[in-house]
Amino acid sequence: MSTPVTRALRPLRLLLPFVAIGMALVLFLTIGFLAFSPNLGGRTGDSAWCDTGISTATVGRGGGGSTIETLAEDQRQNAASIISVAKDMDLPPRAWLVALATAMQESTLRNIDYGDRDSLGLFQQRPSQGWGTPAQVTDPAYSSRIFYERLLEVPGWESMPVTVAAQTVQRSAFPDAYAKWEPLAASLVEQIGDVANPTGCEPGTTGALPPGTAGAAIGFALGELGKPYVWGATGPDAYDCSSLLMRAYEAAGMTIPRVSRDQYRSGGHLPVREVQPGDFLFYARDTSDPSTIYHVTMYIGDDKMVEAPNRNFPVRVQPVPWDFEDLVPLATRPGTTPNPA
């Protein structure tokens, strides 16, 4: 026999199937978004993140023309302080990479007493945002330590790309700007910190540029990390997707077409799963129709690519979205005979 309580609960029981269907739909849509997003989808491995964008760069090369050889003595000393604090905290070299790339972007490794609003020191930390007093954040040891403490609070920071980990701590208005300093940070870790292979890449995979034209083209493109995307620009201060690749191969001594759809036809085709470093990958609205291509990237190895994506992001290194529905199934290898029309 029903009671007032069971009668009151009856409408809720009737709603339960609809609630379950709604939750299943949300889960399905979330999985679908992650699988097909060009920035998040793609193949991942079981190993820790390997920074191809750093490991394939020429040792000592950094953004903005800076190299370890061109750093002033105070910059080297500040880099040594950042590394020393990390060693005292028993942190892995990956944390050093994040901190050094951050400090280079924020202050060019100079302990400055000015900045945006009340930002100060190597990391441009703001006393008003709880980073410490002005005297503390302009002390290299203190500012490094609190940066590392905040980094350790980021879940999964060890497996993030360096630029993502830095941005998560700093909350910068220019989230991809740290990328251009990653090769220089790796050189500092290697030479000042005395750490071999600081990028974490397995020996023999993408720890060095491939020989010849492809390697030279990749090296040029990685040297442009952090530069802005501007549609129609052809360098050296800004690029669009196809001009970055054109200039990269031009620097390597090869002339390729300016436009992505012409670049698709400029060399021999091969299945995307057989790409080698230096090959071109394309996105199209209709993957069976090359005339609908709207984006091109360069494969650099280790399931990663370098690209000038759009006006919201500068030149950057990203995982290849192997399962993205707009990825054209055929890649192009520059310098080889084009397929018959």
Side-chain angles (χ1 to χ4, degrees):
M1 183 176 68
S2 64
T3 66
V5 173
T6 57
R7 286 196 296 272
L9 292 176
R10 185 174 302 150
L12 295 178
R13 291 200 302 271
L14 294 175
L15 288 174
L16 285 177
F18 297 99
V19 172
I21 293 171
M23 292 177 65
L25 181 59
V26 169
L27 179 61
F28 174 80
L29 292 174
T30 301
I31 293 173
F33 171 77
L34 292 173
F36 291 105
S37 168
N39 290 331
L40 299 176
R43 188 171 58 189
T44 58
D46 296 328
S47 60
W49 184 277
C50 165
D51 281 293
T52 308
I54 307 174
S55 65
T56 56
T58 303
V59 172
R61 184 173 184 171
S66 296
T67 67
I68 193 169
E69 293 77 18
T70 62
L71 294 181
E73 183 59 29
D74 67 314
Q75 292 173 297
R76 288 172 173 265
Q77 289 177 357
N78 288 328
S81 295
I82 291 170
I83 292 172
S84 177
V85 170
K87 288 182 176 180
D88 288 343
M89 297 177 69
D90 198 26
L91 298 179
R94 176 156 203 83
W96 318 357
L97 278 172
V98 177
L100 289 165
T102 301
M104 196 66 200
Q105 169 60 26
E106 299 293 349
S107 69
T108 64
L109 278 172
R110 296 187 185 277
N111 194 23
I112 55 180
D113 59 1
Y114 60 88
D116 178 50
R117 289 168 285 190
D118 60 333
S119 300
L120 299 168
L122 290 173
F123 296 92
Q124 288 292 278
Q125 294 158 339
R126 298 181 61 193
S128 65
Q129 300 299 310
W131 286 92
T133 67
Q136 287 175 322
V137 299
T138 52
D139 174 59
Y142 173 89
S143 62
S144 299
R145 181 172 293 275
I146 194 169
F147 176 87
Y148 288 127
E149 289 174 354
R150 297 285 178 91
L151 176 65
L152 295 176
E153 293 174 359
V154 177
W157 70 269
E158 306 97 323
S159 58
M160 292 179 178
V162 168
T163 189
V164 175
Q167 159 62 10
T168 305
V169 175
Q170 296 294 105
R171 301 184 184 277
S172 170
F174 305 97
D176 288 272
Y178 306 101
K180 64 178 176 289
W181 302 115
E182 293 174 8
L184 177 59
S187 295
L188 291 168
V189 169
E190 190 169 39
Q191 296 187 35
I192 295 178
D194 195 26
V195 173
N197 188 27
T199 65
C201 296
E202 291 295 328
T205 53
T206 54
L209 289 168
T213 303
I218 293 171
F220 176 90
L222 294 176
E224 307 306 286
L225 292 176
K227 291 190 175 180
Y229 173 98
V230 175
W231 186 84
T234 57
D237 299 320
Y239 298 91
D240 61 18
C241 65
S242 57
S243 71
L244 175 66
L245 274 53
M246 178 188 71
R247 293 303 185 202
Y249 269 90
E250 180 180 83
M254 181 186 296
T255 300
I256 64 169
R258 164 70 179 87
V259 180
S260 60
R261 295 169 188 177
D262 294 334
Q263 290 172 351
Y264 177 78
R265 301 181 180 90
S266 66
H269 294 151
L270 65 155
V272 292
R273 295 293 181 161
E274 298 176 12
V275 293
Q276 295 295 320
D279 292 347
F280 294 167
L281 299 170
F282 300 87
Y283 299 166
R285 293 178 179 84
D286 178 353
T287 57
S288 65
D289 182 0
S291 69
T292 66
I293 288 172
Y294 63 85
H295 186 51
V296 59
T297 76
M298 184 192 301
Y299 184 67
I300 61 174
D302 194 41
D303 289 342
K304 297 183 182 70
M305 62 189 185
V306 60
E307 63 171 351
N310 55 57
R311 64 183 181 180
N312 296 318
F313 299 99
V315 177
R316 63 183 183 177
V317 169
Q318 285 285 102
V320 176
W322 297 112
D323 299 323
F324 182 45
E325 59 186 359
D326 286 5
L327 182 66
V328 176
L330 295 177
T332 294
R333 180 159 296 166
T336 59
T337 304
N339 292 47

